[in-house]
Amino acid sequence: MSVQSQNHRDAWFAPFFKELLASVKPVFGTTAATPFIFPGTGTGGWEAALSNTLSPGDRVVTFRYGMFSHLWIDMMQRLGLEVEVVEGRWGDGAYEDKLADLLEKDTSKGIKAVCVVHNETATGVTSDIGRIRETLDAASHPALLMVDGVSSVGALPFKFDDWRVDVAVTGSQKALSLPTGLGIVAASDKALDARSSAKLKRVYFSFDDMLKTNKNGGVPYTPILPLLHGLKASLGLLNAEGLDNVFARHHRLAEGTRAAVAAWGLKLLCREPRWQSDTLTVVEVPEGLDSQKIVDTAFAKYNLSLGLGLAEVQGKVFRIGHLGNMDELMLAGALGGVEMTLRDVGLPIELGSGVGAALKVWQEGTPVIPTRECLMA
Amino acid sequence: MSVQSQNHRDAWFAPFFKELLASVKPVFGTTAATPFIFPGTGTGGWEAALSNTLSPGDRVVTFRYGMFSHLWIDMMQRLGLEVEVVEGRWGDGAYEDKLADLLEKDTSKGIKAVCVVHNETATGVTSDIGRIRETLDAASHPALLMVDGVSSVGALPFKFDDWRVDVAVTGSQKALSLPTGLGIVAASDKALDARSSAKLKRVYFSFDDMLKTNKNGGVPYTPILPLLHGLKASLGLLNAEGLDNVFARHHRLAEGTRAAVAAWGLKLLCREPRWQSDTLTVVEVPEGLDSQKIVDTAFAKYNLSLGLGLAEVQGKVFRIGHLGNMDELMLAGALGGVEMTLRDVGLPIELGSGVGAALKVWQEGTPVIPTRECLMA
Amino acid sequence: MSVQSQNHRDAWFAPFFKELLASVKPVFGTTAATPFIFPGTGTGGWEAALSNTLSPGDRVVTFRYGMFSHLWIDMMQRLGLEVEVVEGRWGDGAYEDKLADLLEKDTSKGIKAVCVVHNETATGVTSDIGRIRETLDAASHPALLMVDGVSSVGALPFKFDDWRVDVAVTGSQKALSLPTGLGIVAASDKALDARSSAKLKRVYFSFDDMLKTNKNGGVPYTPILPLLHGLKASLGLLNAEGLDNVFARHHRLAEGTRAAVAAWGLKLLCREPRWQSDTLTVVEVPEGLDSQKIVDTAFAKYNLSLGLGLAEVQGKVFRIGHLGNMDELMLAGALGGVEMTLRDVGLPIELGSGVGAALKVWQEGTPVIPTRECLMA
Amino acid sequence: MSVQSQNHRDAWFAPFFKELLASVKPVFGTTAATPFIFPGTGTGGWEAALSNTLSPGDRVVTFRYGMFSHLWIDMMQRLGLEVEVVEGRWGDGAYEDKLADLLEKDTSKGIKAVCVVHNETATGVTSDIGRIRETLDAASHPALLMVDGVSSVGALPFKFDDWRVDVAVTGSQKALSLPTGLGIVAASDKALDARSSAKLKRVYFSFDDMLKTNKNGGVPYTPILPLLHGLKASLGLLNAEGLDNVFARHHRLAEGTRAAVAAWGLKLLCREPRWQSDTLTVVEVPEGLDSQKIVDTAFAKYNLSLGLGLAEVQGKVFRIGHLGNMDELMLAGALGGVEMTLRDVGLPIELGSGVGAALKVWQEGTPVIPTRECLMA
């Protein structure tokens, strides 16, 4: 309607959008990068990252250790890149030593980019981007460092500037607790410079069109206004809580969940503690049990949405999310639901054991809500 | 706005409102009664019940065993009724034997009404209206039976017709999971007949003005349209779940909560099992502990709203609600919050003990969601 | 739900509600009065005004000149007051000279209250409360001055303190552009003092219970939280626009509408310019035409809600509202709808004549929106 | 949150999404085509259309007669297509005769696709796709016919099957009255077959990934759930009104607007009646007047959003939208706002002249709302 609904061509939009772009930077841990907001998903963000910086035939190194790293590799291949895949166990993170080997052999510096999924939602693994950067530095290798931060940015510490990331990608639907619909990208100056030589075709996901219009607070095509307003509100909530508190809360929720899993006598798919994700926990089920049955029962009987095991770990794991707008009591309820479900499918779990273990972590670790400290005087 | 917002004087309203009035009746368990929907609260519903049927100086018998029965008594007295109060322990229900005594002594049938709060939200007590009716019948007493069903109608079985209730009162904000704002009343023909002799003044809460306008689908003054739409939706959800399933769910939630309390080694304020409420559980705290501290800590540390002890039981109890749009996992989370809070204030509770006890009840008793049975095949 | 929805017993409520009560005062034009917010309608506010200050048998003087003054009189009579009604033409306001006569004759000062409907929504008439006060003063009469400001407070200048009003009543659903559900009352100290002698029964609408709880930011029974939040937002919008600008906008909208009616060759029901309402315009239809047909056609063909003629003026008038959250273009559309409808029912109106007359008023009188003045540089 | 928000991996999604895909087809006027719903904008839909069917260096013929056709051409060129642009006057539609010439010369049938913007939002022009199809048929030319229906599908008759369109593209934010965020595409079997030879890179906008997952009700990456629910509701509203009634309403609104423009003595940018758009009207301003001033004044003084003149017609035209969820009275208000604005900037318009001309069209042509016919008996 011409009269009533908001129009992004009216005068309010430019200052609103400029401020929004600026306010995206802290969740990436950057002051130096250039942010982009695409109408699309994180998958679109991946395409933006690759197509604005690379050319068909360019060599890239990446790691496959889960569904999402697998899908990104598939995209790289279909875009015509020459992809060197370091295969990993599903449940491990990016192997720094194998990367070091590849970089060492690349005496001609032909590798144009190293691509890493920071937090693998299929396996509950958080790779160590800081050590990936150290590995590149140790080899004095100039490859671009591209990071999929879709399920980490805004929930886990992400240090774009410290790690000297070149392109990082996230979406609206994970830590930002919004619907899907925004592919949010941060790019270093080095990444922006790579546009001039990048021969991959790009229009919809082109940095150029964004840069040209964004600088005056405009956009190259109609934006998703409700999501932009939602993004502003969501970033406002993160800031009100304090990013460090947000990270601490995710860590606390994850510690409780891991304590519950241990109390149940089950194993995490991610064996290596340094890689265990604070945004979701992926649990192996005992031999002979199909995890699909757990997911179905939880949904059918307790209205609880657990994550399925995907692809290679199908049937073997289930996933408990603790990302975004979640607190201890919601997660305690979910863990209670898991516990009942595990008994329903025949595991001899003692009811209360896992929840109790989590509560122990939380009773000790949960701070008083700052605005309510007066009640505790 | 004349153009866009809905107007209750337009043609859509009459059929909508007639259907809404009809759809209110099943939650009261009646086909015979006349329903009324007042813009106001349950307190307003009380005033409607009394002022449309009684005259100043009329004798009424009622029971005081909690904050809400106390407040209704206060209203009766201020309206000029002669109120015979049967005092009870806070934590007990309506004493049928004491009522029998009073009725027996009333050979002149001077008692005009017996008023009972069905579910005392201050104490977690559900009185037995069926036995109150039997007591009246045994005495062949013609007094009107008025029931406050504010926190029971729509959550607990309420049998207006079977119990031959004369006026029952509820509100939108409890079992119907809506905001406050509707006082919903059901009246028997006998109650309607009492209008002609009732001398209490009434205008806003008059049955007459409602009857005159309601019969054509109208209302005597502007209705709260969003709440009427909400009521339609809320009744639709109750019907979709099935009233019997709703009652069973509340019973199951309460059984789990009571199991948790027992596991903590604490006591219910309501000692008599037949009176224990299925919509909230009121827990006594050990001597020397102020329950305000529990309520404050739960809110400050875990964002959990527990109910305070009110009036006579101030400081001595806290209240756990499990009414309305709630399921096992939400309540498990809340019980987990209680458990942590109890430790926070110094009680040697084993974490997981209460939640585990509740989970045991629920794992066994929770049925598969009917629309999801295919997942369990 | 105990965990998630807001609870008015939690710590946030008291400061919120105290501030809300304070922020109600400017729309009444008072710094001295005590505000009350009842869950109910304006009709409930009327009952609060009368029952807290008067006793059965008390003499009150009031005026009947429309449906709403008529309904208030009905309430007064049913509450047992001795009501002296000054009958007026529907379309006139409160006759100050007739009031002067009555006051002069009342040498014993037996008249306890003078009650006036400020803005009669049935007839489009705004009585002159300032002159009513002057009339009382000229007679040195101590009667309480009670004013129904349901459809005026927040849209028309209301000067509680200047006019020395004793009780003023409004609702959430008119100038405040909210749903029905709040009866908002302001009372002078003199009105509060009258409680001690007032013998009318009151519980739900009692000032005492409110005063006792409000002073600490509490309420005597569950409040309608969404409407309280809405009230805060609505008062915020009025303040952002500026109350004087709000009044000016309503006057401008009314002037345009009256110009349209004149251009159509029709007459206002309100003949006396000083009484013509700025919140709605009531138009007489020519002899032989039933205004119901106009209302039905506008709704059936153009989705336009016009007001019916009520009671004495049924069939003879239709009503065009321009109250609350409305601007020139919405009203121009509505006037266009009236114009088409008038032709549809057979009146030889020239299409565009009325809208054009209104546009003339608005093109000259509408100021630039302050936040957009930069666009006009 | 794992517990509460909807998850597209749960069992409800597949039947919901399959039904949604099916229900998209009628607005395109097709039973045979395959629909796709991409998270993105109409611009993304363009990219999907081209990249799934064509190869770098392929010859395409298209027309430039406005901003949106210009932008699509820009995309074609940047994707590496060899684009033959038929330049047109901004305000004209696609020239069928020039297309005929090109096709005739193309004896080798080297032209792979003809691309047409159906409704040019920059100029208020609707090209005649039926005659484009006839032109192709007359030349027996096998080129794919691709149509941008972003601002037409769902508002103007679109006959995918009759016109034998190969790919049509629309978005959620125009006729569907939703926020931006869905690029909706329909493809013929011939277009789907073209995938096997199409060498343009595509991942995010690939038909293959959609086809593979959609057939089981899945999606290749996280969908924008709120927009999918919105799409269902929006299509439901279109169906409730009836697509033919929707088209008739847009035509009626446009006829009224054109009558207003004529009454003001102004000219449409689109001179040729057969091309005049029913979804927006673009008006030329007299020499010496900058249309920016009109747009700014309308927004600053009347809160009315008019469209700017874009690119080649910057400063020379303003645009009045009448697309989507709009009715006669809203548009009458907007026309009133234009009229006042035109006087504000110095044009000697008679106030009421344009609105009156529009009202004439609408009073005669507007049918009674079917559900309200009883009111007209």
Side-chain angles (χ1 to χ4, degrees):
Chain A
M1 283 170 288
S2 70
V3 185
Q4 289 171 322
S5 66
Q6 276 197 318
N7 192 327
H8 76 283
R9 295 192 198 276
D10 287 332
W12 67 275
F13 185 75
F16 164 82
F17 190 63
K18 278 187 191 172
E19 192 185 318
L20 188 62
L21 281 172
S23 68
V24 156
K25 293 163 77 171
V27 291
F28 282 102
T30 185
T31 58
T34 299
F36 299 94
I37 302 176
F38 289 96
T41 70
T43 306
W46 287 350
E47 191 158 324
L50 301 170
S51 65
N52 282 282
T53 56
L54 299 170
S55 302
D58 273 357
R59 282 181 66 198
V60 299
V61 172
T62 188
F63 304 82
R64 175 164 22 223
Y65 40 66
M67 189 63 183
F68 293 90
S69 45
H70 170 77
L71 287 170
W72 200 13
I73 291 165
D74 175 63
M75 175 184 278
M76 294 171 203
Q77 291 169 333
R78 288 160 69 185
L79 289 177
L81 301 173
E82 189 181 317
V83 192
E84 193 125 8
V85 179
V86 179
E87 301 288 347
R89 173 182 168 272
W90 285 39
D92 284 353
Y95 301 130
E96 296 92 354
D97 54 353
K98 298 204 175 170
L99 176 63
D101 288 351
L102 286 166
L103 295 176
E104 192 182 357
K105 281 181 209 147
D106 182 33
T107 50
S108 67
K109 308 298 183 198
I111 296 169
K112 296 295 185 206
V114 173
C115 301
V116 188
V117 170
H118 186 203
N119 190 65
E120 226 324 331
T121 296
T123 59
V125 164
T126 305
S127 285
D128 188 336
I129 307 299
R131 287 182 57 180
I132 297 291
R133 163 51 63 200
E134 287 166 18
T135 308
L136 279 158
D137 285 355
S140 300
H141 201 288
L144 294 166
L145 175 55
M146 303 205 192
V147 180
D148 167 353
V150 170
S151 62
S152 66
V153 168
L156 306 181
F158 196 99
K159 306 184 176 179
F160 192 97
D161 288 351
D162 288 359
W163 299 335
R164 300 203 324 280
V165 174
D166 290 301
V167 191
V169 173
T170 193
S172 46
Q173 80 277 19
K174 296 283 187 179
L176 296 166
S177 297
L178 293 172
T180 305
L182 301 179
I184 307 170
V185 176
S188 71
D189 286 347
K190 185 171 159 192
L192 294 184
D193 289 346
R195 285 174 298 149
S196 59
S197 59
K199 299 261 179 312
L200 280 173
K201 304 290 185 205
R202 62 218 175 241
V203 182
Y204 188 83
F205 290 118
S206 166
F207 286 169
D208 297 86
D209 298 12
M210 284 284 173
L211 287 169
K212 210 181 308 171
T213 53
N214 287 182
K215 73 173 177 222
N216 300 315
V219 286
Y221 35 77
T222 323
I224 310 185
L225 288 184
L227 281 181
L228 296 186
H229 289 297
L231 180 58
K232 181 178 171 175
S234 177
L235 292 170
L237 287 176
L238 288 185
N239 286 332
E241 187 176 351
L243 273 175
D244 286 341
N245 295 331
V246 170
F247 302 153
R249 174 168 54 83
H250 282 93
H251 182 62
R252 199 164 61 235
L253 293 174
E255 286 285 289
T257 306
R258 290 189 282 259
V261 173
W264 297 330
L266 296 178
K267 288 217 174 67
L268 301 183
L269 181 61
C270 179
R271 298 283 156 75
E272 178 69 36
R274 71 173 180 116
W275 281 331
Q276 288 166 357
S277 172
D278 281 349
T279 67
L280 88 162
T281 299
V282 180
V283 184
E284 288 187 324
V285 299
E287 284 282 326
L289 186 61
D290 186 343
S291 66
Q292 175 80 45
K293 201 172 166 188
I294 291 171
V295 173
D296 284 347
T297 302
F299 190 62
K301 198 168 163 193
Y302 307 108
N303 194 29
L304 174 66
S305 274
L306 297 173
L308 279 169
L310 300 169
E312 211 161 283
V313 291
Q314 194 182 345
K316 298 179 188 160
V317 304
F318 64 90
R319 297 177 292 136
I320 304 170
H322 30 83
L323 171 64
N325 179 21
M326 172 162 279
D327 66 19
E328 288 79 4
L329 301 200
M330 293 183 216
L331 186 50
L335 294 177
V338 172
E339 237 169 71
M340 292 191 284
T341 302
L342 293 176
R343 275 191 79 87
D344 285 328
V345 302
L347 294 184
I349 300 291
E350 190 194 349
L351 290 169
S353 60
V355 179
L359 295 179
K360 217 156 293 168
V361 172
W362 297 333
Q363 193 243 325
E364 285 160 17
T366 303
V368 173
I369 298 166
T371 55
R372 296 181 186 168
E373 273 166 4
C374 53
L375 291 174
M376 301 295 283
Chain B
M1 283 170 289
S2 71
V3 185
Q4 289 172 321
S5 67
Q6 276 197 317
N7 191 330
H8 77 284
R9 296 193 198 276
D10 287 332
W12 67 275
F13 185 74
F16 163 82
F17 191 62
K18 278 187 191 172
E19 193 185 318
L20 186 61
L21 281 173
S23 69
V24 156
K25 292 163 76 170
V27 291
F28 282 102
T30 186
T31 58
T34 300
F36 299 94
I37 302 175
F38 289 96
T41 68
T43 306
W46 286 349
E47 190 158 325
L50 301 171
S51 65
N52 283 281
T53 56
L54 299 172
S55 302
D58 273 358
R59 282 182 65 200
V60 300
V61 172
T62 190
F63 304 82
R64 173 162 26 221
Y65 41 64
M67 190 64 182
F68 292 91
S69 44
H70 169 76
L71 286 170
W72 201 11
I73 291 165
D74 175 62
M75 175 186 277
M76 295 170 202
Q77 291 170 332
R78 287 161 67 185
L79 289 177
L81 302 172
E82 191 181 316
V83 192
E84 194 124 9
V85 179
V86 179
E87 301 289 346
R89 175 184 166 271
W90 285 39
D92 284 353
Y95 302 129
E96 298 92 354
D97 53 353
K98 296 205 178 168
L99 175 62
D101 290 349
L102 286 167
L103 294 175
E104 193 182 356
K105 278 180 211 146
D106 182 32
T107 50
S108 64
K109 309 300 184 199
I111 296 169
K112 296 297 184 206
V114 174
C115 301
V116 189
V117 170
H118 188 202
N119 191 64
E120 226 326 331
T121 296
T123 60
V125 164
T126 305
S127 287
D128 188 338
I129 308 299
R131 286 182 57 180
I132 297 290
R133 164 49 65 199
E134 287 166 19
T135 308
L136 278 159
D137 285 356
S140 300
H141 200 289
L144 294 164
L145 175 55
M146 302 204 193
V147 181
D148 167 351
V150 169
S151 63
S152 65
V153 168
L156 306 182
F158 196 99
K159 306 184 175 181
F160 191 98
D161 289 352
D162 288 359
W163 299 336
R164 301 204 322 283
V165 174
D166 290 300
V167 191
V169 173
T170 194
S172 46
Q173 80 275 21
K174 296 285 185 176
L176 296 165
S177 297
L178 293 171
T180 304
L182 301 179
I184 307 171
V185 177
S188 70
D189 287 347
K190 187 171 156 192
L192 295 184
D193 289 346
R195 284 175 300 148
S196 59
S197 60
K199 301 261 179 312
L200 279 173
K201 304 292 185 205
R202 60 216 177 243
V203 181
Y204 188 84
F205 290 118
S206 166
F207 285 170
D208 296 85
D209 298 12
M210 284 284 172
L211 286 169
K212 212 180 305 173
T213 51
N214 285 180
K215 72 174 178 224
N216 300 316
V219 284
Y221 35 77
T222 324
I224 310 186
L225 289 182
L227 281 181
L228 296 185
H229 289 297
L231 180 58
K232 183 178 171 174
S234 177
L235 292 169
L237 287 176
L238 289 185
N239 287 331
E241 185 176 353
L243 274 176
D244 286 342
N245 295 332
V246 170
F247 302 151
R249 174 167 54 82
H250 281 92
H251 183 64
R252 199 164 63 236
L253 293 174
E255 286 284 288
T257 306
R258 289 189 284 260
V261 173
W264 297 329
L266 296 179
K267 288 216 172 67
L268 301 183
L269 182 61
C270 180
R271 299 281 155 73
E272 179 69 37
R274 71 175 180 115
W275 282 332
Q276 288 166 358
S277 172
D278 281 352
T279 66
L280 87 162
T281 297
V282 181
V283 183
E284 288 186 325
V285 298
E287 285 280 326
L289 186 61
D290 185 343
S291 66
Q292 175 80 46
K293 201 173 166 188
I294 293 172
V295 173
D296 284 347
T297 301
F299 190 64
K301 198 166 162 195
Y302 306 109
N303 195 27
L304 173 65
S305 274
L306 297 172
L308 279 170
L310 300 170
E312 211 163 282
V313 292
Q314 194 182 344
K316 298 177 187 160
V317 303
F318 65 89
R319 297 178 293 135
I320 305 169
H322 31 80
L323 170 65
N325 179 22
M326 173 162 277
D327 66 19
E328 288 78 4
L329 301 199
M330 291 183 218
L331 187 51
L335 293 178
V338 173
E339 237 169 71
M340 292 191 283
T341 302
L342 292 176
R343 274 191 81 86
D344 284 328
V345 302
L347 293 185
I349 301 291
E350 191 194 349
L351 290 170
S353 60
V355 179
L359 295 178
K360 217 156 292 169
V361 172
W362 298 334
Q363 193 244 324
E364 285 162 16
T366 302
V368 173
I369 298 167
T371 53
R372 296 181 185 169
E373 271 164 4
C374 53
L375 291 174
M376 301 294 285
Chain C
M1 284 170 289
S2 71
V3 185
Q4 289 173 323
S5 67
Q6 275 197 318
N7 190 329
H8 76 283
R9 295 193 199 274
D10 287 332
W12 67 275
F13 186 75
F16 164 82
F17 190 63
K18 278 188 191 173
E19 192 185 318
L20 188 61
L21 281 173
S23 70
V24 156
K25 293 163 78 171
V27 291
F28 282 103
T30 186
T31 58
T34 300
F36 300 94
I37 302 177
F38 290 96
T41 68
T43 306
W46 286 348
E47 192 160 321
L50 301 172
S51 64
N52 282 282
T53 55
L54 299 172
S55 301
D58 273 358
R59 284 181 65 200
V60 301
V61 172
T62 189
F63 304 83
R64 175 162 27 220
Y65 41 64
M67 190 62 184
F68 293 91
S69 43
H70 170 77
L71 286 170
W72 200 12
I73 291 165
D74 177 62
M75 175 185 279
M76 294 170 203
Q77 292 170 332
R78 287 162 67 185
L79 290 177
L81 302 172
E82 191 181 315
V83 192
E84 193 124 11
V85 179
V86 179
E87 301 288 347
R89 174 183 167 271
W90 286 39
D92 284 353
Y95 301 131
E96 298 92 354
D97 53 353
K98 297 205 177 168
L99 175 63
D101 289 351
L102 285 167
L103 295 175
E104 192 182 356
K105 279 182 209 145
D106 181 33
T107 49
S108 66
K109 311 300 185 198
I111 296 169
K112 296 297 184 206
V114 173
C115 301
V116 188
V117 171
H118 187 203
N119 190 65
E120 226 327 328
T121 296
T123 59
V125 164
T126 305
S127 285
D128 188 338
I129 306 299
R131 285 182 57 180
I132 296 291
R133 164 49 65 200
E134 288 166 16
T135 307
L136 277 159
D137 285 354
S140 301
H141 200 289
L144 294 164
L145 176 56
M146 303 204 192
V147 180
D148 167 352
V150 170
S151 63
S152 66
V153 168
L156 307 181
F158 196 98
K159 305 185 175 178
F160 191 97
D161 288 351
D162 288 359
W163 298 336
R164 302 205 322 282
V165 174
D166 290 301
V167 191
V169 173
T170 193
S172 46
Q173 81 275 21
K174 295 285 185 176
L176 296 167
S177 297
L178 294 171
T180 305
L182 301 179
I184 307 170
V185 176
S188 70
D189 287 345
K190 187 172 157 190
L192 294 185
D193 289 345
R195 286 176 297 148
S196 58
S197 59
K199 302 260 180 313
L200 280 172
K201 305 290 186 207
R202 61 216 176 242
V203 182
Y204 188 84
F205 291 119
S206 166
F207 286 170
D208 296 85
D209 298 11
M210 284 284 173
L211 286 169
K212 212 180 307 172
T213 52
N214 285 181
K215 73 176 177 219
N216 301 316
V219 285
Y221 35 77
T222 325
I224 310 184
L225 288 184
L227 282 181
L228 296 186
H229 288 297
L231 180 59
K232 182 177 171 175
S234 176
L235 292 169
L237 286 175
L238 288 185
N239 286 332
E241 186 176 354
L243 274 176
D244 287 343
N245 295 331
V246 170
F247 302 152
R249 174 168 55 82
H250 281 92
H251 183 63
R252 200 164 63 234
L253 292 173
E255 288 283 289
T257 307
R258 290 190 282 260
V261 173
W264 297 331
L266 296 178
K267 289 216 173 66
L268 301 183
L269 181 60
C270 179
R271 299 283 156 72
E272 180 68 36
R274 73 176 178 116
W275 282 332
Q276 288 166 358
S277 172
D278 280 351
T279 66
L280 87 162
T281 298
V282 182
V283 183
E284 289 187 324
V285 298
E287 286 280 327
L289 186 60
D290 185 343
S291 65
Q292 175 80 45
K293 201 172 164 187
I294 292 172
V295 173
D296 283 348
T297 302
F299 190 62
K301 200 167 160 192
Y302 307 109
N303 194 28
L304 173 65
S305 273
L306 297 172
L308 279 169
L310 300 170
E312 210 162 282
V313 291
Q314 194 183 347
K316 297 176 187 162
V317 303
F318 65 89
R319 296 178 293 136
I320 305 169
H322 31 79
L323 172 64
N325 180 20
M326 172 163 279
D327 68 17
E328 288 79 5
L329 301 199
M330 293 183 216
L331 187 51
L335 294 177
V338 172
E339 239 169 69
M340 292 192 284
T341 302
L342 292 174
R343 275 191 79 88
D344 284 328
V345 302
L347 294 185
I349 300 291
E350 191 194 347
L351 289 169
S353 60
V355 179
L359 294 178
K360 217 157 292 169
V361 172
W362 297 332
Q363 192 243 325
E364 286 162 14
T366 302
V368 172
I369 298 167
T371 54
R372 297 180 186 170
E373 270 165 5
C374 54
L375 291 173
M376 301 295 284
Chain D
M1 282 170 290
S2 69
V3 186
Q4 290 173 321
S5 68
Q6 275 196 317
N7 190 329
H8 77 284
R9 296 194 198 273
D10 288 332
W12 67 275
F13 186 75
F16 163 83
F17 191 62
K18 277 187 189 173
E19 193 185 318
L20 187 62
L21 281 172
S23 69
V24 156
K25 293 163 76 171
V27 292
F28 282 102
T30 185
T31 58
T34 299
F36 299 94
I37 302 177
F38 289 97
T41 69
T43 305
W46 286 349
E47 191 158 323
L50 300 171
S51 64
N52 283 282
T53 55
L54 298 171
S55 302
D58 273 357
R59 280 182 67 200
V60 300
V61 171
T62 189
F63 304 83
R64 172 160 30 219
Y65 41 64
M67 189 64 182
F68 293 91
S69 44
H70 170 77
L71 286 170
W72 200 13
I73 292 164
D74 175 62
M75 175 186 278
M76 295 170 202
Q77 292 169 333
R78 288 162 65 185
L79 288 177
L81 301 173
E82 190 181 317
V83 193
E84 193 125 9
V85 179
V86 179
E87 301 287 347
R89 174 186 166 270
W90 285 40
D92 283 353
Y95 301 128
E96 297 92 354
D97 52 354
K98 297 206 175 168
L99 175 62
D101 289 350
L102 286 167
L103 295 175
E104 192 181 357
K105 279 180 210 146
D106 181 32
T107 49
S108 65
K109 310 299 185 199
I111 296 170
K112 296 297 183 205
V114 173
C115 301
V116 189
V117 171
H118 187 202
N119 190 65
E120 223 332 323
T121 296
T123 59
V125 164
T126 305
S127 286
D128 189 339
I129 307 299
R131 288 183 57 179
I132 297 291
R133 165 49 63 199
E134 287 167 18
T135 307
L136 278 158
D137 285 355
S140 302
H141 201 288
L144 293 165
L145 175 56
M146 304 206 192
V147 181
D148 167 353
V150 170
S151 63
S152 66
V153 168
L156 307 181
F158 196 98
K159 306 183 174 180
F160 191 98
D161 288 352
D162 288 359
W163 299 337
R164 303 205 320 284
V165 174
D166 290 301
V167 191
V169 173
T170 193
S172 46
Q173 80 276 21
K174 294 286 187 180
L176 295 165
S177 298
L178 293 171
T180 305
L182 302 178
I184 307 170
V185 175
S188 70
D189 287 347
K190 185 171 157 192
L192 294 185
D193 289 346
R195 284 175 299 148
S196 59
S197 59
K199 301 263 180 312
L200 279 173
K201 304 290 185 208
R202 59 211 177 247
V203 183
Y204 189 84
F205 290 118
S206 166
F207 286 169
D208 296 85
D209 298 10
M210 284 283 173
L211 286 168
K212 211 180 309 172
T213 51
N214 286 182
K215 75 175 175 219
N216 300 315
V219 285
Y221 35 77
T222 324
I224 310 187
L225 289 183
L227 280 181
L228 296 184
H229 289 296
L231 180 59
K232 182 178 172 174
S234 176
L235 292 169
L237 286 176
L238 288 184
N239 286 332
E241 186 175 352
L243 274 176
D244 286 343
N245 295 330
V246 170
F247 302 152
R249 173 166 57 82
H250 281 92
H251 183 63
R252 199 164 62 235
L253 292 174
E255 286 285 288
T257 307
R258 290 189 282 260
V261 173
W264 297 330
L266 297 178
K267 288 215 173 67
L268 300 182
L269 181 61
C270 180
R271 298 284 155 72
E272 180 69 36
R274 73 176 178 113
W275 282 331
Q276 288 166 358
S277 171
D278 281 350
T279 67
L280 86 162
T281 299
V282 181
V283 184
E284 289 187 323
V285 299
E287 286 278 328
L289 186 60
D290 184 344
S291 66
Q292 176 79 47
K293 200 172 167 188
I294 291 172
V295 172
D296 284 347
T297 301
F299 190 62
K301 197 166 163 195
Y302 306 110
N303 194 28
L304 173 66
S305 273
L306 297 172
L308 279 170
L310 300 170
E312 208 163 283
V313 291
Q314 193 183 346
K316 297 177 187 160
V317 304
F318 64 91
R319 298 177 293 137
I320 305 170
H322 30 80
L323 171 65
N325 179 23
M326 173 163 277
D327 67 18
E328 287 80 2
L329 301 199
M330 291 183 218
L331 187 50
L335 294 178
V338 173
E339 237 169 73
M340 293 192 283
T341 303
L342 293 174
R343 275 190 80 87
D344 284 328
V345 302
L347 294 185
I349 300 291
E350 191 194 349
L351 289 170
S353 60
V355 180
L359 294 178
K360 217 157 291 169
V361 172
W362 297 334
Q363 192 242 325
E364 285 162 16
T366 303
V368 172
I369 298 167
T371 54
R372 297 182 185 169
E373 272 166 4
C374 54
L375 290 174
M376 302 295 284

